[in-house]
Structure formats: structure tokens, C-alpha cells
Amino acid sequence: MEAIITATELADDLTGPNPPVLLDVRWQLTQPGAPSFDGRAAYTEGHLPGAVFVDLDRELASAPGGNGRHPLPDLAVFGAAMRRAGVSAGRPVVVYDGGLGWAAARAWWLLRWTGHPDVRVLDGGLPSWQGALSTDVITPVQGDFEPAPDAAGLLDADGAAVLARSGVLLDARAGERYRGEVEPIDRVGGHIPGAVSAPTAENVGPDGRFLPAAELQSRFKGLGAAQGTAVGVYCGSGVSAAHEVLALAVAGIPAALYVGSWSEWSADPSRPVAVGPDPQ
């Protein structure tokens, strides 16, 4: 199954016999002291026709705490939110955001991890859509999706530490955060010892769309990640890392997500921290 869909393909699917459920997951990382981005207001101003808004902070994550800034959502809350949005196991789902792709990828990863068989991300997000937008607030028919998590796709802090030594653990943050040169949010800068720097921004072109699968395969192979290798990804709080897991899926490489990511790891002073360009 493909992990992404183009706007042209989506337009065709929406007129087909089994049109996908559309989820609008517009969200932006809020820097300390800055006003919060209002995704629901952006949705109200205009969205893909038929799309339902999903709140990343409230429905795709639990409240910030010891497990990081965007820990896993309570499965009952997540399942109820998906059913309210019309998600059913027998109907495809397409997720989009404002173009960055991080929030859409978080929804994609959660749905895939909890067992939905057919979910894709709109490549390039809302800016790639050439059709008209709608301001209608949609109340879909209740879905029947029941989350059934797959433990194999998830890493905790201990699992991430082991994978950094036994397989490949990719750090999806910007290189300067990986090296510990700057840290605008978390307690301390640096990276998990053994992790390899792999900024998720390098998985897309200037238009925000994913690079071709062959280019992504080449990139990840150069970082030590290839088919048959145990691969995991983390970032600051498990959002941009989901985008990298999505890029790996486009390249045909399965990967696990460390949801707590650096916000969880760095909050515990007993965990080791590496700085500089060397993984170790």
C-alpha cells in the first residue's frame, strides 16, 4: 500500500465508489512565548471539501508531562476522535495539513500503528490542492474504527538506547539541535548516544513534497538504514519523526517511532547525552 497520495490522485478517488475519509490536521510547533497556532480556525477559513478537523494536541497526543511534549494519546480518546471523524476500518483515509507534513504524518502513523489498513498522506498538503476549498463544518456518519496497537512499531527510551547500538536510530531534528549547538525548547541540547543525524527537512524538495522513492532509498542507505536493518526514529516530541517514518515508508523501509523523543529523553538527568557531529 502506498503511504502518500498526490492531489490529482485524491481528486480522482473522491469521485470513486469508495471515497476516502479526509482528515485536516493543521498544526504548527509553538515556540516558547509565542501565541499558539489555531488549527481549527484555519480549518474554518477553508478546507478540502468533506474534510473533518482533528486536533493534534488533544486527539493525537496526551497532555505534556514526563513522557514528553506529545506523548501517545489515550487510546479510548483517540479511537473516539477517529470514529467521530467518520473513520472506519473498511474505508480509506487521507490525511493532510498545511504543507509541512509533520502533523499529517503523526495522524498517519497513529492510524497505521493502531491497525488501520489504508491510510495515506496528501503529498504537499493543502497547498498542493488545486480545487476549491469549503467552509462547511462537516458532521460525518459515525465510524467504526477500533484501535489495536502494534507493539513492534513503537520504541520507549530503553528501546531507543538499545537500537542506537544494535541497529540504526535516526534523529530527525535539525543538525544544530542534534549537535547541541542550540536547544530552544528542551532542558539540554545534544542527542541520544549512537543516534545518526538525519534532518527530516532533507526528505522533501522545495515544494514540500517527498523526494522520489529511489532518492530516499539512497539517502537512507547512506545513513545506514536499509531494508533488513532495524530502524527507529526520534525528534523533539514525536511529530517530525513521524514524518521521517513516513519518508522511510515511501522508500520501502519499515521503521519504529520513539514517541517520547528528545523531550522525554533529555528530561531525565540520568540518561546520557552526546554532543557534536559524532553519533557517539
Side-chain angles (χ1 to χ4, degrees):
M1 189 201 73
E2 296 294 330
I4 57 176
I5 185 171
T6 67
T8 300
E9 292 168 336
L10 175 59
D12 288 341
D13 285 0
L14 288 171
T15 62
N18 189 26
V21 173
L22 291 178
L23 303 182
D24 182 313
V25 197
R26 273 178 277 182
W27 170 90
Q28 290 179 16
L29 177 66
T30 300
Q31 298 294 338
S36 297
F37 172 77
D38 190 340
R40 189 175 295 278
Y43 166 84
T44 302
E45 291 172 3
H47 53 265
L48 266 62
V52 178
F53 179 72
V54 174
D55 191 314
L56 185 147
D57 288 319
R58 293 175 175 82
E59 296 172 325
L60 305 182
S62 297
N67 292 324
R69 285 192 306 280
H70 289 105
L72 285 174
D74 179 276
L75 287 180
V77 172
F78 172 67
M82 293 301 97
R83 291 189 292 276
R84 281 197 304 272
V87 174
S88 293
R91 188 176 173 189
V93 177
V94 171
V95 191
Y96 72 91
D97 58 23
L100 187 60
W102 294 5
R106 172 72 175 225
W108 167 86
W109 179 84
L110 275 167
L111 281 166
R112 293 290 293 155
W113 176 65
T114 55
H116 196 286
D118 189 354
V119 54
R120 289 172 288 175
V121 168
L122 176 59
D123 196 16
L126 186 64
S128 71
W129 182 253
Q130 298 300 308
L133 299 181
S134 171
T135 56
D136 295 338
V137 176
I138 305 301
T139 303
V141 175
Q142 181 90 351
D144 63 13
F145 180 67
E146 293 289 346
D150 177 7
L154 181 67
L155 292 171
D156 60 11
D158 291 339
V162 170
L163 188 59
R165 304 299 183 186
S166 63
V168 176
L169 182 65
L170 301 177
D171 184 318
R173 298 171 301 159
E176 60 268 23
R177 291 186 70 189
Y178 170 88
R179 295 187 295 271
E181 296 166 359
V182 298
E183 181 44 64
I185 304 173
D186 294 312
R187 185 185 67 85
V188 64
H191 58 269
I192 296 173
V196 177
S197 180
T200 198
E202 296 178 15
N203 295 322
V204 299
D207 59 359
R209 302 184 191 187
F210 282 104
L211 300 175
E215 291 185 31
L216 290 171
Q217 289 169 358
S218 178
R219 180 188 186 222
F220 290 126
K221 183 178 180 180
L223 295 170
Q227 292 182 2
T229 303
V231 180
V233 189
Y234 76 96
C235 59
S237 66
V239 178
S240 66
H243 189 268
E244 186 128 295
V245 173
L246 176 57
L248 284 155
V250 172
I253 304 168
L257 178 65
Y258 173 26
V259 174
S261 285
W262 190 247
S263 59
E264 178 186 48
W265 182 277
S266 64
D268 184 345
S270 71
R271 294 194 182 106
V273 171
V275 295
D278 189 332
Q280 307 307 321

